Amino acid sequence: MVNFFSIYKPLLHGALKLVGMTTQAVEIEPGTVLNFWLPTETTKKMKNKTSKPAVVFLHGFAMDGILNWQFQVLALANKYAVYVPDFLFFGGSITDRPERTVEFQSECMAKGLRKLGVEKCTVVGLSYGGMVGFKMAEMYPELVESMVVSCSVMALTESVSNTGLQRIGFSSWAEFLLPKTVEGVRTLFDIGSCNLPKVPKFICEDILEAMFDHRKERSELLEALVISDEKFSIPHYPQKIYLLWGENDVIFDMETARNLKEQGGEKATLMAIQKAGHLVNLERPFVYNKHLKTILASLTLDKCHNN
């Protein structure tokens, strides 16, 4: 039987090209290459001259960039310069370097964007992508002007990690996020969503076959993700931080979201989307896109006023 994704991905890629998106491999250094979806106009001779505001989408741990953010890219590509990288060991991104930290992912993201001519951007991050986004905002405030974060934390400290794992009934993040069985894939979606229909067995089988390569390296990423409470101190972010949450997220629940808003201070706002879980942007894409468009429009307006 043909794998579902071998049919779906070409169709999705065709739709993306119709809205002006294409792919490009960006060499960060020898041995480290990032795959980006980006505006076709930036790859032409007069590239990087677009006047559209840049929006960078950072994906969660269970999918590559474009599968995670497909509905948002299709909705926003006509008005914004949209960039969707694959993290190292996802999609088409790879490195021979031994680093597995959030800091290294952030460094590679920033270098890749700069090689593509992005000088300032809004970062939109889900879950793992939110953690990388927070680190990018901390390390490169001149690049990251503002953030939209969904179902994530500033850093996965041991206390936050243990609480989250206890809520979902797993002993490690690798056990949950790198399933080895069809039932494990189904559990991943059941916990990650609130009202998504039950994923058919053949789709789960195809997901298991197509989406969980680089298991060793991804396990190392998850191991490096958890840090001791003592090593974390709340950074001071000059950027505006918009928290856009699934109200029924059980991985990082609303209490986690409210704590994150407090950590963000006066520059942070929180909005919850009803009847949505951790995969809020996939589960309720129209509602998510409506709020995201409002946020991005307000940022553009603020920028015009400040100029």
Side-chain angles (χ1 to χ4, degrees):
M1 185 180 292
V2 176
N3 188 290
F4 168 79
F5 288 97
S6 68
I7 300 172
Y8 181 70
K9 276 195 170 185
L11 293 175
L12 174 60
H13 294 180
L16 290 163
K17 289 178 180 179
L18 287 176
V19 298
M21 299 291 291
T22 190
T23 55
Q24 184 170 323
V26 179
E27 185 179 62
I28 306 303
E29 60 183 46
T32 300
V33 177
L34 293 183
N35 179 67
F36 275 83
W37 278 92
L38 71 165
T40 302
E41 62 193 271
T42 67
T43 65
K44 296 178 181 177
K45 190 171 182 180
M46 292 299 292
K47 66 179 182 177
N48 310 324
K49 298 301 181 183
T50 178
S51 60
K52 296 177 182 177
V55 182
V56 178
F57 288 94
L58 301 179
H59 64 85
F61 205 87
M63 302 180 189
D64 65 20
I66 206 62
L67 283 175
N68 193 153
W69 293 111
Q70 53 187 296
F71 300 122
Q72 287 66 50
V73 174
L74 291 169
L76 294 172
N78 64 328
K79 192 169 183 180
Y80 296 92
V82 174
Y83 297 82
V84 190
D86 291 327
F87 286 129
L88 295 168
F89 305 115
F90 292 84
S93 299
I94 196 71
T95 186
D96 58 9
R97 292 271 295 272
E99 291 92 338
R100 300 290 182 262
T101 62
V102 169
E103 288 83 357
F104 184 57
Q105 289 275 25
S106 302
E107 179 186 336
C108 290
M109 293 298 119
K111 287 181 177 178
L113 288 167
R114 284 175 173 154
K115 282 178 177 284
L116 293 171
V118 178
E119 297 176 355
K120 294 182 181 297
C121 65
T122 295
V123 166
V124 184
L126 172 74
S127 194
Y128 180 68
M131 298 177 213
V132 176
F134 271 122
K135 186 56 66 174
M136 283 179 66
E138 179 186 352
M139 294 170 64
Y140 308 102
E142 73 287 350
L143 172 65
V144 180
E145 287 190 301
S146 51
M147 298 183 65
V148 182
V149 177
S150 296
C151 307
S152 188
V153 289
M154 287 183 183
L156 193 61
T157 60
E158 288 177 344
S159 58
V160 171
S161 174
N162 292 338
T163 301
L165 287 170
Q166 188 175 24
R167 263 198 305 268
I168 63 176
F170 282 84
S171 61
S172 72
W173 293 108
E175 182 187 1
F176 171 55
L177 291 168
L178 296 172
K180 297 179 180 178
T181 65
V182 167
E183 193 56 41
V185 174
R186 184 165 284 159
T187 299
L188 186 66
F189 282 97
D190 288 344
I191 291 175
S193 64
C194 174
N195 288 311
L196 280 179
K198 187 173 182 179
V199 181
K201 182 179 178 182
F202 81 93
I203 296 289
C204 290
E205 291 172 345
D206 290 351
I207 290 171
L208 190 63
E209 178 185 338
M211 291 177 56
F212 295 101
D213 53 354
H214 297 295
R215 284 180 176 270
K216 175 179 178 294
E217 291 84 359
R218 292 192 194 183
S219 293
E220 292 166 352
L221 290 174
L222 290 170
E223 187 176 343
L225 188 60
V226 182
I227 62 173
S228 68
D229 289 52
E230 292 75 21
K231 286 186 177 179
F232 174 66
S233 58
I234 300 171
H236 171 72
Y237 292 101
Q239 301 92 340
K240 285 187 176 180
I241 302 170
Y242 297 87
L243 306 177
L244 190 51
W245 227 260
E247 189 176 62
N248 304 100
D249 186 2
V250 296
I251 300 173
F252 297 125
D253 62 7
M254 287 306 301
E255 182 182 354
T256 305
R258 287 187 285 269
N259 290 339
L260 184 57
K261 182 182 181 298
E262 277 191 32
Q263 291 175 335
E266 294 180 356
K267 290 184 176 289
T269 60
L270 172 62
M271 179 172 291
I273 295 177
Q274 296 178 345
K275 299 179 183 178
H278 191 72
L279 300 174
V280 54
N281 64 306
L282 291 171
E283 192 169 11
R284 301 205 66 189
F286 296 110
V287 178
Y288 189 93
N289 290 353
K290 179 183 176 182
H291 290 304
L292 182 57
K293 287 178 179 179
T294 300
I295 291 168
L296 294 174
S298 71
L299 290 170
T300 301
L301 190 61
D302 286 347
K303 193 171 181 179
C304 290
H305 286 162
N306 292 334
N307 291 336

